[in-house]
Amino acid sequence: DAGVIQSPRHEVTEMGQEVTLRCKPISGHNSLFWYRQTMMRGLELLIYFNNNVPIDDSGMPEDRFSAKMPNASFSTLKIQPSEPRDSAVYFCASSLRGGLGKETQYFGPGTRLLVL
Amino acid sequence: GQSLEQPSEVTAVEGAIVQINCTYQTSGFYGLSWYQQHDGGAPTFLSYNGLDGLEETGRFSSFLSRSDSYGYLLLQELQMKDSASYFCAVRESSASKIIFGSGTRLSIRP
């Protein structure tokens, strides 16, 4: 299995531009998570989906952020307009919800976003 | 509110044993997990405790005491490659998201 795939791996953009991050979860996994990691705030959960449905988006910082999961194999996180404070590493993770027991999350390699 | 407390930094010697503690305060508890993250890398799953006691996976062990809202990760026979950040994470219920601690940076000295 290729694992969780994220693209792009690096993104440099200017303030005000739209940024779209993409994620392909592990095949068969039915939960998908978007995280943001910075030195100051650590690892923050932005939003997560179960069976393509957004369950909790309370971590989305503001309306400039939006996420979609149109099907089980693809998700996007969009920032419009982007701001310098959005600079961070954005991770996508997926897991298989078994209902009981551990639920290991498998993280993608991350997208390193720099907003100038 | 929810909170997970773990030390920000720990230093240990190669070949030694180190314990990283995690205390949590959450509205519910469904399980405690540990993740490792090397600089520039992504978090990777290490261990999980759903019940009290010790779980062992090779050189790594994890312990949980639900009555004390406390757990720890034990790393034995430390190797230089174990230098990384270690995160504890708690799930409050079977349906809820996982909450991560702020991470403990482990530095290994020769």
Side-chain angles (χ1 to χ4, degrees):
Chain A
D1 198 320
V4 176
I5 298 172
Q6 290 186 247
S7 65
R9 294 291 304 275
H10 302 270
E11 176 83 17
V12 180
T13 190
E14 292 188 344
M15 184 174 63
Q17 295 298 305
E18 178 180 295
V19 174
T20 299
L21 311 181
R22 297 172 177 80
C23 175
K24 177 178 168 53
I26 293 173
S27 177
H29 282 191
N30 47 17
S31 292
L32 183 140
F33 307 80
W34 281 101
Y35 291 90
R36 177 173 69 176
Q37 188 174 38
T38 61
M39 289 292 292
M40 292 297 295
R41 300 176 67 91
L43 197 60
E44 303 173 276
L45 177 67
L46 300 177
I47 186 173
Y48 79 99
F49 297 82
N50 282 344
N51 296 316
N52 313 340
V53 177
I55 302 300
D56 186 343
D57 64 354
S58 60
M60 296 287 260
E62 44 196 280
D63 292 345
R64 298 184 297 107
F65 286 68
S66 62
K68 294 182 180 179
M69 192 164 185
N71 56 62
S73 60
F74 183 67
S75 177
T76 59
L77 177 69
K78 188 173 293 187
I79 309 172
Q80 166 63 19
S82 59
E83 296 182 4
R85 60 190 167 128
D86 301 331
S87 299
V89 180
Y90 291 81
F91 288 105
C92 175
S94 71
S95 69
L96 183 63
R97 292 202 70 224
L100 294 176
K102 66 181 176 185
E103 181 184 299
T104 302
Q105 292 192 9
Y106 296 86
F107 282 75
T111 295
R112 281 156 180 75
L113 174 65
L114 177 62
V115 183
L116 302 174
Chain B
Q2 317 152 333
S3 70
L4 281 77
E5 303 265 344
Q6 52 180 131
S8 58
E9 293 184 28
V10 172
T11 301
V13 177
E14 191 175 15
I17 299 173
V18 73
Q19 178 174 311
I20 299 173
N21 300 321
C22 174
T23 56
Y24 58 89
Q25 202 167 24
T26 55
S27 57
F29 180 83
Y30 199 72
L32 177 71
S33 302
W34 288 91
Y35 286 77
Q36 178 192 60
Q37 185 180 27
H38 286 100
D39 285 347
T44 56
F45 173 81
L46 285 179
S47 185
Y48 171 84
N49 294 78
L51 301 173
D52 291 350
L54 193 68
E55 292 284 337
E56 297 180 74
T57 309
R59 296 187 297 115
F60 294 1
S61 304
S62 58
F63 173 82
L64 174 66
S65 169
R66 288 174 294 173
S67 60
D68 296 321
S69 297
Y70 164 76
Y72 65 72
L73 179 69
L74 191 74
L75 296 84
Q76 303 182 72
E77 301 172 19
L78 285 170
Q79 302 174 9
M80 297 303 292
K81 67 177 182 179
D82 297 329
S83 294
S85 292
Y86 292 84
F87 296 86
C88 60
V90 166
R91 182 138 60 92
E92 293 182 305
S93 75
S94 63
S96 74
K97 62 192 178 189
I98 293 178
I99 304 162
F100 281 82
S102 55
T104 297
R105 186 172 187 84
L106 174 63
S107 299
I108 311 292
R109 294 184 286 111

